[in-house]
Amino acid sequence: QVQLVESGGGSVQAGESLRLSCAASKSSYSSGCMGWFRQAPGKEREGVATINGDYSTRYADSVKGRFTISKDPAENTLYLQMNSLKPEDTAMYYCAAVNSAGRCPLAAHYYNYWGQGTQVTVSS
């Protein structure tokens, strides 16, 4: 069992930046797939970015060039740097993990551990 705790959400204006953090209770999960997902009201949960044990990353097309996923294994922490935020980025953001190496897809069903979420609100 691994516990994930997100932080760093908030309310910002369009064009501003936020950095989300996700603290994992077990270091072993930082060697598998970890990722960020988001869910807006009335919409399905969607993959934002993932990273694997070899630091390979994947991004949704909608955030490429604006968001950067990274991790610090020494701190068992996953990050999401979000720049040039847009109102359509408004959502609850979730950290996810699975103790499995691989391609780390942007599909939510692949991940079996989830944090409680942190809200990001971007106003125009």
Side-chain angles (χ1 to χ4, degrees), residues 36-40 44-49 60 62 88 91 106 108:
W36 290 97
F37 294 77
R38 66 187 182 187
Q39 188 167 18
E44 293 187 356
R45 190 168 297 190
E46 64 172 352
V48 175
S62 59
E88 51 263 44
L106 290 166

Side-chain angles (χ1 to χ4, degrees), residues 21-106:
S21 299
C22 171
S25 62
K26 289 188 176 181
S27 61
S28 58
Y29 283 81
S30 67
S31 63
C33 290
M34 298 190 75
W36 290 97
F37 294 77
R38 66 187 182 187
Q39 188 167 18
K43 295 188 176 181
E44 293 187 356
R45 190 168 297 190
E46 64 172 352
V48 175
T50 64
I51 187 167
N52 71 6
D54 294 330
Y55 295 86
S56 293
T57 57
R58 287 175 175 250
Y59 293 93
D61 289 342
S62 59
V63 307
K64 282 181 181 176
R66 299 188 298 122
F67 291 10
T68 302
I69 189 171
S70 62
K71 62 181 180 179
D72 183 349
E75 298 292 332
N76 295 339
T77 302
L78 181 73
Y79 300 100
L80 184 68
Q81 177 66 43
M82 305 186 295
N83 298 329
S84 303
L85 282 161
K86 304 176 180 180
E88 51 263 44
D89 294 319
T90 295
M92 185 70 79
Y93 282 71
Y94 298 91
C95 173
V98 60
N99 195 15
S100 173
R103 298 178 63 192
C104 302
L106 290 166

Side-chain angles (χ1 to χ4, degrees), residues 8 11-19 66 81-85:
S11 296
V12 296
Q13 298 286 320
E16 294 183 341
S17 299
L18 280 174
R19 188 194 197 201
R66 299 188 298 122
Q81 177 66 43
M82 305 186 295
N83 298 329
S84 303
L85 282 161

